[in-house]
Amino acid sequence: MTIKNDIYHVLDTETTGFDETVDKLVEFAYVKLEDGKIIDSFETLINPERDIPPEASAIHHLIDEDVKDAPFIGDIISDLRDNEEKFYNIVAHNAEFDYKFLKEYFPGANVICTYRLAMKLWPDLPKHTNQYLRYYFKLPCEEVKGLPAHRAKADAIVTSYLFMYELDELFKRSKDPESITVAKLIEFIEKPSLLKVCKFGKHKDKLWSEVPLDYLRWMLREMKDLDRDTEFTVRHYLGI
């Protein structure tokens, strides 16, 4: 038995926005994996009990009329629990975003981010979105055909194939693949990554190794919202 044989729920959500303190879910889907195969899937619209801003609709194309008669998220989760659906291992692309809307319903779950894992495995790729990786690695994703783009189920299917591909790659590189556990995988994923290219600001598209040291010092001093990877990279090139 290896972690490939475990059960995973690969999730995706659509929301009214990015702030979990005021925004709400409008769609929830998962693909269930076991032994490296898709064995089940689920999708539902969700009544967010608030309006959907046009900025959000422009991404997922859901409007208030679509979700006004949809169930509430609490009722959906209750039904899943009644059917004894256990969410022990949750997988998502940019899992930090999806899980912040769901953590109250799945407390204590193992959360695996395929986006961060892709950054670890292929740091030199220009992008790490699930759709870019889907086409870069020519993932099959036959089940996506006919599904609307930028919606929860389609994205969950793509992420499922990406996750299986990532596990295969991880096993190829490991000297002892059977020693890899979910806990060790999460520990590996969550460690900060050394970034190669700066993707914002006055030095956008420059190699981090070429960004002037005085600018790096300014970033640490003035930019209080640096993500962990950027801060790690800045400190690396400052030698601190």
Side-chain angles (χ1 to χ4, degrees), residues 88-105:
Y88 296 121
N89 298 318
I90 287 175
V91 179
H93 204 71
N94 193 13
E96 187 174 345
F97 175 81
D98 295 280
Y99 191 60
K100 70 182 181 181
F101 287 93
L102 292 166
K103 60 184 176 183
E104 67 177 287
Y105 305 107

Side-chain angles (χ1 to χ4, degrees), residues 69-162:
D69 296 322
F72 303 118
I73 183 60
D75 294 333
I76 294 166
I77 300 302
S78 179
D79 288 346
L80 291 172
R81 286 175 177 157
D82 288 344
N83 291 327
E84 298 187 349
E85 198 65 56
K86 309 293 186 184
F87 290 74
Y88 296 121
N89 298 318
I90 287 175
V91 179
H93 204 71
N94 193 13
E96 187 174 345
F97 175 81
D98 295 280
Y99 191 60
K100 70 182 181 181
F101 287 93
L102 292 166
K103 60 184 176 183
E104 67 177 287
Y105 305 107
F106 307 125
N110 297 313
V111 181
I112 300 167
C113 181
T114 52
Y115 172 77
R116 293 192 62 80
L117 183 52
M119 288 178 63
K120 295 283 188 183
L121 293 173
W122 304 288
D124 293 334
L125 289 182
K127 295 182 181 180
H128 295 90
T129 65
N130 61 350
Q131 293 295 342
Y132 177 86
L133 295 168
R134 167 193 177 184
Y135 291 110
Y136 186 87
F137 292 118
K138 298 179 174 58
L139 305 178
C141 305
E142 292 297 320
E143 297 90 340
V144 172
K145 291 181 179 178
L147 296 179
H150 303 297
R151 292 284 296 276
K153 185 175 180 180
D155 283 348
I157 291 171
V158 172
T159 302
S160 296
Y161 279 97
L162 173 60

Side-chain angles (χ1 to χ4, degrees), residues 152-211:
K153 185 175 180 180
D155 283 348
I157 291 171
V158 172
T159 302
S160 296
Y161 279 97
L162 173 60
F163 180 55
M164 290 187 280
Y165 189 86
E166 288 176 330
L167 288 183
D168 285 342
E169 182 68 17
L170 200 63
F171 273 47
K172 288 177 188 174
R173 300 187 189 187
S174 175
K175 295 180 180 178
D176 184 16
E178 293 192 2
S179 69
I180 302 172
T181 64
V182 169
K184 287 181 179 178
L185 177 60
I186 293 173
E187 182 181 4
F188 171 65
I189 290 170
E190 293 304 313
K191 286 181 179 177
S193 295
L194 186 64
L195 304 177
K196 186 173 182 180
V197 178
C198 180
K199 296 185 178 180
F200 61 89
K202 63 189 291 186
H203 295 290
K204 183 178 179 182
D205 297 329
K206 268 190 181 179
L207 295 175
W208 276 108
S209 58
E210 298 175 353
V211 176

